[in-house]
Amino acid sequence: MNTKSITYTYSAHITQQTPSGKPLVFFAAPATEIGQWVGVPQRSRLDDEETIGFQRQENKTRIRELSSFYHDERNIVQNPLLAAPQSAISVSFKPLDGHSEFGTIEIVSEDFSDSTLLDLMTQVVANLEGRVPELKEASLDQGRLSSIMERGRQEHGLDVAIDEDEDEDEDDPTEESNGNGDDSDTASVLLTDETHLIDFYTELKGRIKVLEALDSDANPQGILGFDREAMISYLKPIMLVDGQHRLKGAVLAAEILANGSEGETVLLKAAENNEDPGQAKAKFIREKARHLPVSLLMDPSPSEHVFQFVVVNQKATPMGKALLGTIVSTSLSKDELDPVAQRLKDAGIKLDDSQAIAYLTRADESPFKNFVQTGITGATGDRSTSLQWSVLKGLVTIFRELSGGKLFGQRNDWAKAWGKSQLDNSAYVSAFDSNKEKLAEWGRPDGPWREVFIRFYSNIKEKFGSDDPEALNAWGTTRSNLFNKVSLTILAADYFEYLRTQKRTLNNVADVDSTMTEWLDGVNPAYFNRNWKVEKKDTPLIRRTWARLWNDYRRNPESQPNEKEFNPAAGA
């Protein structure tokens, strides 16, 4: 494949963590330039065939959120993109005289703009054969090849035949590989699944056969689901091991800036000076693109690439939502948080949720204080029987957003229905005009919902709960019948059903007290203090059963359900 090459040079620092470890090169480069020489081999599907990349498919929402984050020039990302060479001869570090650890990194990248899809696929196949020479001798699935040929006939009107001896005539199978030795190749096959690698190789070979049969003037961008972008990703000199969303978010941020008012000004000026608008825009994007740090592991072995990806994504401990919310919400004072609050929201961090939930886990008046996981470990950290952060978030959503107030097994969202019919009449939000404004006021992190929420669950705790952690109706341990996701959700949804069907609004906490008294009229306080003999509460069957039993009983509380009814899986 005859292509032009472009050399990219950056100031760099090289280090080695251990005497036997491969060197690491640290440098920074404009995001748009990184996109020119780095490939992101995604573990995805092309034409319903799984590729051999190990990166997860990109998340468009995350990319947009990162783009918004990058749009603020004050926002800095410290962790570097993790990368490694796909070709040992395309990347080199050149030290400065007298300073062996400092120098320049040179990356030679092919310009594939003039390459045909046939050229690209042929090179990908050659690279796979160089990486795993056994592929050239592998027995390809003739049925799979026949299927590809048949699709080529149907979609392109081609007369394509399979030459079963073709592979034997191409190259000398005894020719030495340009890879890194048998051990490296064996590791590569093991880590990428040998059978799957042969399948992918076969899919490429079949499409090459179809492309070769096309008219010589044809230059399709894709063939039977395989496109240029995916193929080029395998041919770039460097592979991205971790950080694809950070990179693509930065590129998107630069493109958005170029399409804005500042970019329009540049294009108008270029037109006035008879300059090429495409070149002017490209130059503007290049100048405005954020410089991202890169950590380049100087090891072209595919097995090492996969190993590094596993280490980054599995062995490193991820920060859970509970700990993230705890840190964001409790490490800064209000005055410190206000200047960065919008930036955090723009970055996709649910700051309002974190603030709302963190308050409920710490406020003295909250019945959930010290009973919710915060993500903090240690002697005074979370207990396994504490309510999960995500469960409290779900309960908060019912009251704060007036959403999710459904009795399990039913379709009506009673919290939402109440918000539409009764919130407008509430004194809590009377200073606002539209329902949208009233909802926004109601749902502020410290809005009226919080007072209602705290009073509601405080009353639930007082009426049904026990401070004895061993009691069946214990408050504060998820072992109990009461203090768990299923029961706490059912009670909230059922309360909003009562408010909606009785057309009751809430103007103050006194209304919460009075409506709850009416709602629970005749209900036995010992309802949850019986042995239901249920271990796994959060299952579809248990959720539906408990919701039905409670709702039926609350409407006609003459006698409590039989204890055996709470666990239908036991054969009651």
Side-chain angles (χ1 to χ4, degrees):
M1 181 170 61
N2 296 321
T3 58
K4 300 176 293 183
S5 63
I6 304 172
T7 300
Y8 299 88
T9 304
Y10 309 101
S11 298
H13 175 264
I14 192 168
T15 187
Q16 206 159 338
Q17 292 185 2
T18 64
S20 59
K22 295 287 182 160
L24 283 169
V25 178
F26 299 98
F27 63 100
T32 50
E33 278 194 12
I34 295 175
Q36 298 299 312
W37 44 257
V38 76
V40 185
Q42 295 180 346
R43 189 73 169 193
S44 58
R45 287 189 176 274
L46 300 176
D47 190 43
D48 204 35
E49 294 296 333
E50 194 175 356
T51 66
I52 60 171
F54 51 81
Q55 284 279 6
R56 289 161 290 189
Q57 288 182 275
E58 63 185 44
N59 184 319
K60 301 293 186 182
T61 299
R62 188 178 177 192
I63 291 174
R64 289 194 298 270
E65 289 175 347
L66 282 165
S67 174
S68 297
F69 175 84
Y70 286 133
H71 189 67
D72 190 327
E73 293 185 355
R74 296 171 297 175
N75 293 342
I76 300 298
V77 172
Q78 286 186 269
N79 49 323
L81 307 178
L82 305 185
Q86 295 203 89
S87 168
I89 63 174
S90 298
V91 182
S92 60
F93 176 81
K94 300 185 181 303
L96 293 174
D97 293 339
H99 300 277
S100 59
E101 292 186 354
F102 296 92
T104 57
I105 185 79
E106 288 190 358
I107 302 167
V108 180
S109 181
E110 302 296 327
D111 179 3
F112 299 108
S113 58
D114 295 330
S115 300
T116 66
L117 184 58
L118 175 59
D119 292 334
L120 297 172
M121 284 191 167
T122 301
Q123 187 58 50
V124 171
V125 164
N127 288 359
L128 287 173
E129 291 173 345
R131 170 181 161 188
V132 186
E134 292 82 1
L135 284 173
K136 288 191 287 186
E137 301 180 22
S139 176
L140 302 185
D141 184 340
Q142 298 301 309
R144 185 184 288 262
L145 284 173
S146 296
S147 176
I148 297 171
M149 301 307 152
E150 180 59 30
R151 288 188 57 194
R153 293 188 188 96
Q154 293 177 357
E155 297 186 21
H156 299 280
L158 302 177
D159 183 15
V160 187
I162 300 176
D163 182 357
E164 297 185 3
D165 297 326
E166 178 185 3
D167 291 337
E168 299 178 5
D169 297 331
E170 286 184 353
D171 296 307
D172 182 359
T174 62
E175 185 179 4
E176 292 185 3
S177 166
N178 291 324
N180 295 316
D182 292 341
D183 292 340
S184 174
D185 291 332
T186 301
S188 299
V189 172
L190 290 174
L191 282 169
T192 54
D193 184 347
E194 182 175 11
T195 302
H196 167 66
L197 193 63
I198 292 175
D199 289 344
F200 183 62
Y201 177 78
T202 304
E203 292 290 330
L204 288 170
K205 294 282 283 186
R207 281 162 177 77
I208 287 174
K209 184 72 173 176
V210 173
L211 285 169
E212 289 175 337
L214 289 176
D215 188 277
S216 58
D217 294 332
N219 185 20
Q221 297 299 298
I223 188 75
L224 304 181
F226 281 39
D227 59 28
R228 286 176 53 84
E229 183 179 358
M231 295 302 104
I232 291 174
S233 185
Y234 294 110
L235 301 176
K236 295 287 185 70
I238 290 178
M239 171 186 293
L240 194 64
V241 176
D242 184 70
Q244 63 164 323
H245 291 97
R246 276 171 280 149
L247 173 60
K248 293 183 178 181
V251 172
L252 178 60
E255 293 173 347
I256 291 175
L257 189 62
N259 292 326
S261 57
E262 190 176 353
E264 290 178 0
T265 301
V266 170
L267 291 179
L268 288 173
K269 186 175 180 180
E272 293 173 357
N273 297 330
N274 294 321
E275 298 176 2
D276 181 83
Q279 293 180 357
K281 183 176 182 179
K283 179 181 178 182
F284 176 80
I285 292 176
R286 187 168 57 252
E287 292 174 348
K288 294 295 183 179
R290 180 179 289 255
H291 284 62
L292 297 180
V294 180
S295 173
L296 182 67
L297 178 66
M298 298 294 278
D299 188 340
S301 167
S303 59
E304 182 64 22
H305 301 168
V306 176
F307 175 78
Q308 291 297 325
F309 179 78
V310 171
V311 168
V312 170
N313 289 277
Q314 298 297 326
K315 296 301 182 182
T317 303
M319 181 178 291
K321 293 181 179 179
L323 183 55
L324 175 61
T326 299
I327 291 172
V328 169
S329 302
T330 62
S331 298
L332 302 175
S333 68
K334 185 179 185 303
D335 289 341
E336 291 171 324
L337 186 59
D338 283 345
V340 297
Q342 191 57 50
R343 292 166 63 193
L344 288 169
K345 293 176 184 177
D346 291 341
I349 295 176
K350 307 298 184 182
L351 183 61
D352 288 351
D353 285 345
S354 297
Q355 289 176 301
I357 299 169
Y359 179 87
L360 295 171
T361 64
R362 289 165 175 78
D364 291 335
E365 69 267 31
S366 171
F368 293 94
K369 180 184 179 182
N370 297 329
F371 295 138
V372 179
Q373 294 180 6
T374 60
I376 301 173
T377 59
T380 60
D382 292 333
R383 294 176 289 111
S384 61
T385 56
S386 294
L387 201 68
Q388 291 185 2
W389 176 278
S390 59
V391 172
L392 182 57
K393 181 183 182 302
L395 300 177
V396 165
T397 297
I398 296 174
F399 284 80
R400 179 171 170 249
E401 299 179 17
L402 296 176
S403 175
K406 298 181 180 180
L407 284 162
F408 299 114
Q410 296 186 17
R411 299 180 63 179
N412 288 326
D413 186 335
W414 294 110
K416 185 176 182 180
W418 179 83
K420 287 184 175 180
S421 67
Q422 302 302 130
L423 181 63
D424 286 356
N425 301 322
S426 173
Y428 275 127
V429 294
S430 60
F432 298 85
D433 297 322
S434 68
N435 182 257
K436 183 178 181 181
E437 292 173 328
K438 292 176 185 288
L439 283 170
E441 170 62 14
W442 173 270
R444 285 186 293 105
D446 59 348
W449 74 271
R450 192 169 76 183
E451 184 177 75
V452 173
F453 180 95
I454 290 175
R455 181 59 67 95
F456 175 81
Y457 281 112
S458 294
N459 289 344
I460 291 294
K461 175 185 177 183
E462 182 178 349
K463 183 173 182 69
F464 295 112
S466 170
D467 291 329
D468 179 1
E470 299 303 319
L472 294 167
N473 61 334
W475 187 268
T477 171
T478 54
R479 286 194 297 260
S480 86
N481 297 329
L482 174 62
F483 194 80
N484 59 72
K485 170 186 172 181
V486 179
S487 292
L488 296 175
T489 302
I490 290 170
L491 289 168
D494 190 61
Y495 175 61
F496 275 106
E497 180 193 13
Y498 178 83
L499 293 178
R500 173 64 186 89
T501 56
Q502 298 301 311
K503 299 181 180 179
R504 297 294 301 274
T505 191
L506 299 175
N507 299 300
N508 46 52
V509 290
D511 283 346
V512 178
D513 292 339
S514 63
T515 54
M516 289 188 71
T517 298
E518 298 167 5
W519 171 55
L520 297 174
D521 182 40
V523 171
N524 192 326
Y527 181 88
F528 296 91
N529 191 22
R530 295 181 298 154
N531 191 355
W532 295 349
K533 298 181 180 179
V534 175
E535 293 295 329
K536 295 182 179 180
K537 306 177 183 70
D538 192 14
T539 67
L541 179 59
I542 295 299
R543 289 195 298 261
R544 292 193 301 269
T545 300
W546 285 15
R548 175 181 54 80
L549 291 175
W550 167 262
N551 191 246
D552 288 346
Y553 169 71
R554 195 267 302 167
R555 289 168 178 267
N556 183 22
E558 291 185 359
S559 62
Q560 297 186 67
N562 187 292
E563 291 180 8
K564 294 181 179 180
E565 292 183 73
F566 288 92
N567 188 5

